[in-house]
Amino acid sequence: MPKRDYYEVLGVPKGASPDEVKSAYRRLARQYHPDVAKENPKVAEEKFKEISEAYEVLADPQKRQRYDAMGFSGVETEFGPGGFGWQNFTHMGDLEDLLGSSPLFRQFFGGFGGPFGGIGRTPARRGHDVEVTVRLPLSAAIRGARPTVEVPRSTPCADCRGTGARDGTALETCPDCHGEGQVRRVQSTGFAQLLTIGECPRCRGTGRRILEKCATCGGNGLRTSVERIEITVPPGIEDGAVLRVPAHGMAGPRGGRPGDLFVQVELEPVAHLRREGREVFAETTIPLGVALLGGEVTVPTVEGQAKLSIPVGTQPETPFRLRGEGFPRIGGSSRGDLIVTVHVEIPRSLSGREKDLVREVFGTVGRPAATKRETLWRRRNGG
Ligand SMILES: [Zn+2]
Ligand SMILES: [Zn+2]
């Protein structure tokens, strides 16, 4: 079967954000869950493998970049001989709640020699990723910012060093799995007997049994707390961008490596300003007199206000460029421009004297007919 494009597999556009990729993957993973999949198990398994391979590449910025540039050949080496396999899959944390909900799903993984099967003890799992949102003023996209975020964290319990056993008490070899952390089960599927290897439910894969639980953590070896972390938001950041802070997610159970922290940046809009990449657009209205004679007006900028000098005879809807009042690129130093479109305010009514002056200055060419009321007024007053 020829390989399908990874974006097509996940059903996301080329420019999809990391969040969109992740939620597409989770949606599909749920769809091909063996408890609910409408396809036969073999097809569902293939499907699941296909979407997991696509996710393995698209969820990793570097792999994704190589794939975008060179296609499958750019990521082939990732998977070694034999292509993608579950040993290559690094996003178990993203499936943890799905997996946890179904023993059948764990067997499904065990079935293809995944992280829950194979020989030897079940490896320690990676901790959950944590996602937080931080709201910043739009000017943060010019200067950058260092906001502090509060994130929930679980860290290995200091009192039992993450073992879950009360300090000084021994861990006993699990009697159910004899220390292997896995149990083999023979299951009749209707067609054949199926041998499955799953995590030992008694010791949850550790191979050890706790004789006396640690009082501090209740035996799970983890402590939860709130951590304050300073985040570096670089100049040039776009609204909705997601920053990854490696290893600041939840601690992995039983000594697994921690998950990552993802910080989504929301930028508060500034009234009357519209951002497009490095440039920012504004509109302002000037009096007719300023358009005719020139002058100086104040216009809004991302960080406050700026003076804009209007030359004599400025036409309506003229765009003016204020250099360097826009945004920098990430990693770049020079800033884009602010482009101000100038509207000219035409007075809605004029006094008689003003009208006479306009006629005198602008002549009689195209002179408009006086209104009926005006004609009557002039007749009565000898105008
Ligand atoms: Zn403890
Ligand atoms: Zn056991």
Side-chain angles (χ1 to χ4, degrees):
M1 201 173 68
K3 264 193 179 185
R4 288 200 297 148
D5 172 64
Y6 289 147
Y7 290 99
E8 190 189 317
V9 169
L10 293 186
V12 293
K14 272 242 153 48
S17 70
D19 276 354
E20 286 167 339
V21 169
K22 187 169 173 179
S23 68
Y25 174 64
R26 290 186 54 84
R27 199 182 54 243
L28 289 166
R30 219 167 267 137
Q31 190 180 335
Y32 293 105
H33 192 296
D35 282 353
V36 294
K38 290 178 188 69
E39 287 79 0
N40 78 48
K42 198 76 204 157
V43 175
E45 181 182 318
E46 276 309 312
K47 223 41 208 189
F48 202 89
K49 220 173 148 174
E50 188 184 31
I51 59 172
S52 298
E53 178 179 334
Y55 184 62
E56 178 64 30
V57 171
L58 297 189
D60 182 310
Q62 288 174 358
K63 290 178 195 170
R64 183 173 174 177
Q65 206 173 29
R66 284 206 301 276
Y67 175 69
D68 286 344
M70 294 179 281
F72 293 119
S73 61
V75 291
E76 237 165 31
T77 51
E78 283 304 322
F79 302 134
F84 177 81
W86 288 108
Q87 68 278 10
N88 304 115
F89 195 63
T90 57
H91 300 281
M92 259 10 255
D94 293 343
L95 287 172
E96 201 59 355
D97 54 344
L98 286 177
L99 293 167
S101 67
S102 163
L104 192 61
F105 207 13
R106 288 182 180 277
Q107 284 170 21
F108 181 65
F109 271 90
F112 27 87
F116 299 98
I119 310 297
R121 184 166 308 153
T122 310
R125 251 168 271 140
R126 185 173 168 272
H128 285 277
D129 291 336
V130 174
E131 295 173 17
V132 295
T133 299
V134 59
R135 226 174 137 72
L136 297 171
L138 187 57
S139 58
I142 291 177
R143 306 281 162 212
R146 301 182 74 86
T148 299
V149 295
E150 288 193 344
V151 289
R153 272 204 93 181
S154 63
T155 47
C157 170
D159 289 352
C160 61
R161 293 178 306 281
T163 60
R166 213 183 85 181
D167 197 31
T169 62
L171 293 165
E172 189 190 58
T173 301
C174 172
D176 284 10
C177 62
H178 309 289
E180 273 192 72
Q182 296 176 333
V183 285
R184 292 171 178 77
R185 260 174 302 223
V186 179
Q187 215 183 8
S188 177
T189 63
F191 302 103
Q193 282 204 325
L194 184 68
L195 177 72
T196 56
I197 301 167
E199 187 182 88
C200 170
R202 183 153 186 172
C203 63
R204 288 184 293 164
T206 58
R208 304 286 182 87
R209 197 164 67 128
I210 296 165
L211 291 177
E212 237 180 300
K213 284 180 181 173
C214 165
T216 315
C217 62
N220 65 8
L222 296 172
R223 293 205 73 179
T224 53
S225 57
V226 172
E227 197 191 15
R228 292 167 63 83
I229 300 173
E230 194 184 66
I231 306 295
T232 303
V233 177
I237 194 96
E238 292 276 351
D239 182 41
V242 177
L243 301 169
R244 174 169 168 264
V245 187
H248 275 80
M250 294 293 187
R254 302 188 301 274
R257 64 195 171 91
D260 297 334
L261 167 65
F262 290 91
V263 182
Q264 177 157 46
V265 177
E266 272 180 25
L267 296 175
E268 282 165 25
V270 172
H272 313 300
L273 291 184
R274 181 171 52 84
R275 180 184 184 183
E276 263 180 45
R278 290 171 72 220
E279 292 187 320
V280 58
F281 293 85
E283 293 182 27
T284 193
T285 301
I286 59 170
L288 178 60
V290 176
L292 291 170
L293 303 174
E296 201 175 59
V297 295
T298 305
V299 293
T301 67
V302 179
E303 293 181 298
Q305 294 181 327
K307 297 255 186 257
L308 173 66
S309 84
I310 304 290
V312 173
T314 288
Q315 302 296 305
E317 320 312 321
T318 303
F320 287 93
R321 192 174 279 268
L322 276 80
R323 299 211 178 269
E325 286 291 339
F327 297 92
R329 265 201 193 90
I330 288 185
S333 54
S334 71
R335 286 169 57 184
D337 301 333
L338 167 66
I339 292 142
V340 186
T341 301
V342 169
H343 304 291
V344 177
E345 193 178 9
I346 308 287
R348 293 198 180 273
S349 62
L350 293 175
S351 68
R353 185 176 130 72
E354 283 167 337
K355 284 177 189 170
D356 287 342
L357 283 171
V358 169
R359 283 189 196 102
E360 192 183 320
V361 173
F362 295 103
T364 53
V365 179
R367 175 182 173 163
T371 61
K372 252 183 200 165
R373 187 186 283 175
E374 225 175 343
T375 315
L376 278 172
W377 190 88
R378 277 177 195 226
R379 255 185 223 149
R380 265 191 226 133
N381 297 280

